[in-house]
Amino acid sequence: MILHPHFDVNEQGHLTIGGADALALANTFGTPAYILDETVIRENCRAYLHAAKTHFGADALPLYASKALSFTGIYRIVAEEGLGIDCVSGGELYTAQNARFPAERIYFHGNNKTDADLCQALEMGVGTIVVDGDEELEALHALASARGLAQKILLRITPGIDPHTHRAVVTGNVDSKFGNAIATGQALAITKKALSLSGVRLAGFHCHIGSQIFEIDPFRDAAHMMLRFIADVKAATGFEATELNLGGGLGVRYTEEDREIDYAAAIAAIAEIVRAGARSAGIAMPRVILEPGRSLVAAAGATLYTVGSVKEIPGFRNYVSVDGGMPDNPRYALYQSRYTALIADRAGEKKDYIATVAGRCCESGDLIGEGMPLQKPRRGDILAVLCTGAYNYSMASNYNRLPRPPVILVRDGKARVAVRRETFADLVDLDITE
Ligand code: LLP
């Protein structure tokens, strides 16, 4: 096992992903390529659903935050596993619809939904719209009323929790483009407005405090803020929320230094916090919803590249350049996110070579990682970056006119193309030449 049980080494010393030989995958599908172990995604969905039903109750519905990885096939998988989804754009809604995802299990998010987005959601019959602000609320009321609808909504609330400095900075997140802050009174004001509008039917509240969180405490703080808010709303208006969506954010093990999170145990802990918090706030236990993105798909993925140049600069560092880079994985360039990489050809050998893994773009910041331990690389080797299932393909671009890699699903050792590789012809397909 390397980092996660589905990454292993076979008798030839090659990396295997979900039982499939990484070199054979690279040979068949070319590089760069995103490989996803479908079994891992399905197991993660089942673990979340089972834990949510066990600890929150039979009507629990975890949502897959599909911004993490969006293509038609993933919505099919998530639909089959019985989860709902979070969509944040017309494009995600369209892709979900293309997969025939049940619309009533869709939650539609976003801090600046256009009228066109809202109409699309209403026409699709999206179950729940998470309203971010006043203008959107008014627009939705008008659009839904005109169709004779009372659209189910949640209101996005900013509880004021910064997950990385939580407790110390309890108003840290009030300054946000998202949602309505409790601390400023805007959350209560928009709640009153929502209750007065016939085109919407308020079911409860939503918050999302951040991503790649390893501790339960920030969720505890957020849940307490939200439950107190529900109680305050009840006292002020008589309305008692029946739904509380606590967002996503549980972390993923990207490197040996990251902890493994037991998601079922985390869900059990959150359920206990909400149950006790609701009791002490004097409100009924709401239906609790979680929206994991990263923790459902990140670990399932790996990106395969071919090593090109290996440049050793005496006294400085070693650059290993691969045939992809920031267009297929912008996360180091954007956030200095750390990954585990290895040479798939010699996966069982010791990693005694330290390199900066660089992409092929005309830009020095085009790096996959710095100080990465690897087996000594040679031109033509396959370099694998692990845990790239989340926020890689979904954030990919065509910078430098690089075609986007395919997405390959592996299940029971067998591989199939879920998204084909872009071609140069695809790149010019939108260009008008006349
Ligand atoms: N719900 C809402 C409303 C969100 O905004 C997000 C993520 C999630 C759920 C899912 O969070 P997760 O479980 O994946 O942490 N591009 C960044 C991550 C941005 C996350 C945005 N919102 C990255 O590559 O790290």
Side-chain angles (χ1 to χ4, degrees):
M1 153 172 151
I2 305 170
L3 211 55
H4 294 279
H6 54 289
F7 299 126
D8 215 335
V9 184
N10 65 16
E11 281 167 9
Q12 290 83 50
H14 300 170
L15 171 70
T16 58
I17 304 165
D21 185 310
L23 263 58
L25 290 169
N27 201 26
T28 306
F29 300 105
T31 61
Y34 300 110
I35 313 295
L36 286 171
D37 186 341
E38 182 177 341
T39 306
V40 170
I41 298 175
R42 288 184 182 275
E43 280 169 359
N44 287 342
C45 287
R46 282 172 207 173
Y48 260 98
L49 188 61
H50 182 261
K53 282 190 187 297
T54 306
H55 301 291
F56 294 141
D59 66 345
L61 181 70
L63 310 179
Y64 165 54
S66 65
K67 73 208 75 179
L69 176 66
S70 177
F71 60 91
T72 302
I74 195 87
Y75 293 104
R76 292 221 176 109
I77 292 171
V78 172
E80 282 169 16
E81 295 302 334
L83 275 65
I85 50 169
D86 147 1
C87 289
V88 290
S89 67
E92 286 184 1
L93 288 177
Y94 186 88
T95 311
Q97 195 172 30
N98 192 42
R100 301 189 206 298
F101 196 92
E104 68 279 3
R105 281 198 258 146
I106 299 178
Y107 282 63
F108 186 33
H109 283 274
N111 70 302
N112 188 19
K113 302 177 194 77
T114 63
D115 285 4
D117 292 335
L118 294 172
C119 290
Q120 185 184 349
L122 289 170
E123 267 141 40
M124 275 176 69
V126 160
T128 311
I129 297 183
V130 183
V131 173
D132 204 276
D134 283 289
E135 290 86 356
E136 182 189 334
L137 181 60
E138 284 159 20
L140 178 60
H141 160 66
L143 294 166
S145 302
R147 290 166 172 77
L149 298 171
Q151 172 65 44
K152 180 191 162 202
I153 64 165
L154 301 182
L155 289 172
R156 177 142 182 179
I157 302 299
T158 316
I161 305 294
D162 180 334
H164 304 292
T165 50
H166 69 100
R167 288 182 203 284
V169 191
V170 271
T171 54
N173 208 27
V174 169
D175 180 5
S176 165
K177 72 168 182 170
F178 296 107
N180 305 273
I182 297 173
T184 59
Q186 285 162 304
L188 182 58
I190 196 170
T191 303
K192 287 180 177 165
K193 184 187 254 181
L195 291 170
S196 75
L197 299 175
S198 58
V200 296
R201 182 172 58 78
L202 181 63
F205 303 103
H206 168 274
C207 69
H208 170 76
I209 55 171
S211 210
Q212 189 62 355
I213 304 169
F214 285 88
E215 310 297 329
I216 292 297
D217 281 351
F219 290 99
R220 180 193 317 277
D221 292 350
H224 284 161
M225 291 291 287
M226 296 296 285
L227 292 164
R228 238 174 291 140
F229 176 67
I230 292 173
D232 290 347
V233 166
K234 185 180 172 191
T237 68
F239 167 76
E240 186 165 2
T242 52
E243 211 167 284
L244 174 61
N245 182 329
L246 291 172
L250 285 171
V252 165
R253 183 167 203 239
Y254 286 100
T255 68
E256 300 285 351
E257 284 91 72
D258 292 329
R259 236 169 13 85
E260 188 87 69
I261 294 195
D262 179 340
Y263 300 112
I267 291 167
I270 292 169
E272 193 37 51
I273 289 164
V274 176
R275 198 164 286 114
R279 212 179 302 123
S280 73
I283 55 171
M285 175 75 177
R287 180 191 199 203
V288 182
I289 292 184
L290 297 179
E291 280 170 348
R294 188 191 306 276
S295 53
L296 288 180
V297 295
T303 308
L304 301 181
Y305 301 99
T306 301
V307 172
S309 80
V310 179
K311 174 173 168 173
E312 299 179 350
I313 311 176
F316 291 88
R317 54 167 129 177
N318 306 323
Y319 281 96
V320 176
S321 292
V322 296
D323 56 350
M326 66 193 287
D328 62 75
N329 182 357
R331 297 191 70 253
Y332 190 76
L334 281 173
Y335 324 113
Q336 292 74 54
S337 300
R338 297 186 58 229
Y339 284 95
T340 300
L342 61 136
I343 299 300
D345 310 58
R346 296 179 292 286
E349 291 179 16
K350 203 162 168 275
K351 291 190 191 180
D352 50 8
Y353 190 85
I354 303 295
T356 288
V357 177
R360 56 176 298 181
C361 288
C362 290
E363 167 156 349
S364 318
D366 169 25
L367 305 176
I368 299 290
E370 292 175 276
M372 297 182 101
L374 295 174
Q375 294 80 4
K376 189 162 168 44
R378 294 192 288 263
R379 184 176 175 89
D381 282 345
I382 300 301
L383 184 143
V385 178
L386 306 184
C387 302
T388 56
Y391 304 113
N392 273 233
Y393 174 67
S394 67
M395 293 177 74
S397 76
N398 291 122
Y399 185 45
N400 282 194
R401 235 29 181 170
L402 292 180
R404 274 173 290 202
V407 178
I408 310 297
L409 288 173
V410 172
R411 194 177 185 184
D412 303 327
K414 291 200 181 58
R416 67 189 161 98
V417 179
V419 181
R420 70 160 170 81
R421 182 183 300 284
E422 269 180 352
T423 61
F424 293 142
D426 289 326
L427 295 178
V428 297
D429 211 29
L430 304 178
D431 299 0
I432 310 294
T433 49
E434 291 310 306

